[in-house]
Amino acid sequence: MSQKDIYLGHIEEFNSYGIKKDIIIQSGQNGNIAKILLPKEMQAGCIKDAPTIGFLLGQDKSENGEDYYTISKSYLQALLNTGVNIRFLDYENPYKQMNDCDAVVLPGGVFNNPESFYIDGKILGDKVGKRYFAYRAVIAEAYKKHKPMLGICAGAQMIGALLGNMKMYRDLKSEVVHPAIHKPKAETDVRIHQIKLLKGTPIFDIMGIKETNDRIMINSRHSQSMVHSVLQDYVVGSPKVKMDIYAVSDSDNIPEIWGNKEAGILCIQGHPEDLVSDVKMQNLYNYIARKAKEYKTKQNFLPMKRDVNSR
């Protein structure tokens, strides 16, 4: 299948950038894989030799019922600030679209997880959908090719569960005693609470702060989370990638940031892209850009595969 350039545009209704889902589907029916790019007016800021980060798009439905693939302005600005090139991944062929990417970002979103993710053991009959399978495909392909990953909110949970064998709370309010306000009642509420950065972990270098500054504020809007670290010790099975906890919620000890330094994996339960005017929050996105550059450089120095048909 060949690639076809498709450009995002500003969607006034959502105050974000996106593309109609039907356009992506039509491209596939014509035998093309959509190469989804920044809006043309933003192309001038692209750096030819910069690494490329793949971003898995979200979904929104318009008032007239049309489905769109979208990225919020806050996510887009955080990535643009890093100076990387960006490719946008849809849910039709995300693993193929990743061929040109040196790292991936999996954002937050609302979708059903498999029952096996949760520690409560309940079977409620919720079925996973196409969005879950897209996240799983991107994570599996990145893991296979050793590509760095940044997970935000639901994206962080997916990486933790699929690669780290971490279990989740289905509902923080009912499963945690005196939980912090991880999700406000309304979007207009102050979406911010204190987290504790754990000494001896890479998070201080990643954020560019001293270990003495081990309390910071972050915003969040999630009702589910990974379970307390002590409960992970009772999870059956070995992880594909060991996830180290870098930060916890200061009031209820819920994991907030985790990852694996060697694998270039960073997972953040909150939403630093909404606070990138704060340098240490932007540094979380700068980190994945640095890891993408390292990956790209390494690939450039790998020996070329020998053509088996050559003499």
Side-chain angles (χ1 to χ4, degrees), residues 94-160:
Y95 56 95
K96 292 183 180 179
Q97 292 169 323
M98 286 174 60
N99 286 342
D100 299 329
C101 299
D102 303 300
V104 292
V105 173
L106 295 112
V110 179
F111 51 90
N112 289 333
N113 290 322
E115 301 287 5
S116 60
F117 281 14
Y118 300 108
I119 202 167
D120 60 13
K122 295 178 181 178
I123 304 297
L124 302 182
D126 294 333
K127 294 183 178 180
V128 299
K130 197 168 188 175
R131 189 169 189 175
Y132 161 76
F133 286 112
Y135 274 73
R136 190 178 75 172
V138 170
I139 292 168
E141 185 68 9
Y143 171 70
K144 177 182 176 182
K145 300 289 178 60
H146 308 288
K147 295 185 178 184
M149 288 178 257
L150 172 63
I152 303 294
C153 199
Q157 294 169 358
M158 287 285 292
I159 293 171

Side-chain angles (χ1 to χ4, degrees), residues 19-165:
I19 187 76
K20 287 183 180 179
K21 183 180 176 181
D22 286 347
I23 293 175
I24 302 298
I25 293 175
Q26 184 63 47
S27 177
Q29 291 173 344
N30 292 335
N32 298 308
I33 295 174
K35 184 177 181 180
I36 309 174
L37 304 168
L38 286 167
K40 290 185 178 180
E41 64 270 19
M42 295 182 180
Q43 292 294 313
C46 295
I47 303 172
K48 183 178 180 181
D49 295 327
T52 299
I53 289 181
F55 182 94
L56 186 60
L57 292 165
Q59 282 193 329
D60 283 296
K61 186 182 287 290
S62 68
E63 288 187 358
N64 63 8
E66 288 187 296
D67 292 315
Y68 287 79
Y69 282 111
T70 58
I71 177 173
S72 72
K73 289 183 176 180
S74 57
Y75 277 125
L76 186 56
Q77 189 60 59
L79 287 170
L80 289 173
N81 289 347
T82 69
V84 300
N85 294 310
I86 311 171
R87 294 288 182 272
F88 300 96
L89 315 176
D90 59 45
Y91 303 169
E92 310 303 318
N93 291 290
Y95 56 95
K96 292 183 180 179
Q97 292 169 323
M98 286 174 60
N99 286 342
D100 299 329
C101 299
D102 303 300
V104 292
V105 173
L106 295 112
V110 179
F111 51 90
N112 289 333
N113 290 322
E115 301 287 5
S116 60
F117 281 14
Y118 300 108
I119 202 167
D120 60 13
K122 295 178 181 178
I123 304 297
L124 302 182
D126 294 333
K127 294 183 178 180
V128 299
K130 197 168 188 175
R131 189 169 189 175
Y132 161 76
F133 286 112
Y135 274 73
R136 190 178 75 172
V138 170
I139 292 168
E141 185 68 9
Y143 171 70
K144 177 182 176 182
K145 300 289 178 60
H146 308 288
K147 295 185 178 184
M149 288 178 257
L150 172 63
I152 303 294
C153 199
Q157 294 169 358
M158 287 285 292
I159 293 171
L162 288 172
L163 295 184
N165 197 34

Side-chain angles (χ1 to χ4, degrees), residues 249-300:
S249 176
D250 202 30
S251 60
D252 57 20
N253 214 39
I254 291 295
E256 290 284 347
I257 306 177
W258 57 93
N260 184 289
K261 182 179 178 179
E262 287 71 29
I265 293 174
L266 180 62
C267 297
I268 304 159
Q269 184 64 82
H271 287 271
E273 67 278 357
D274 291 340
L275 301 169
V276 294
S277 58
D278 183 336
V279 173
K280 60 180 175 290
M281 294 298 174
Q282 177 62 51
N283 281 342
L284 293 167
Y285 281 87
N286 294 344
Y287 170 79
I288 195 66
R290 290 198 307 274
K291 301 307 290 186
K293 184 176 181 179
E294 291 173 11
Y295 180 87
K296 179 181 176 69
T297 301
K298 183 178 179 181
Q299 296 307 301
N300 288 341

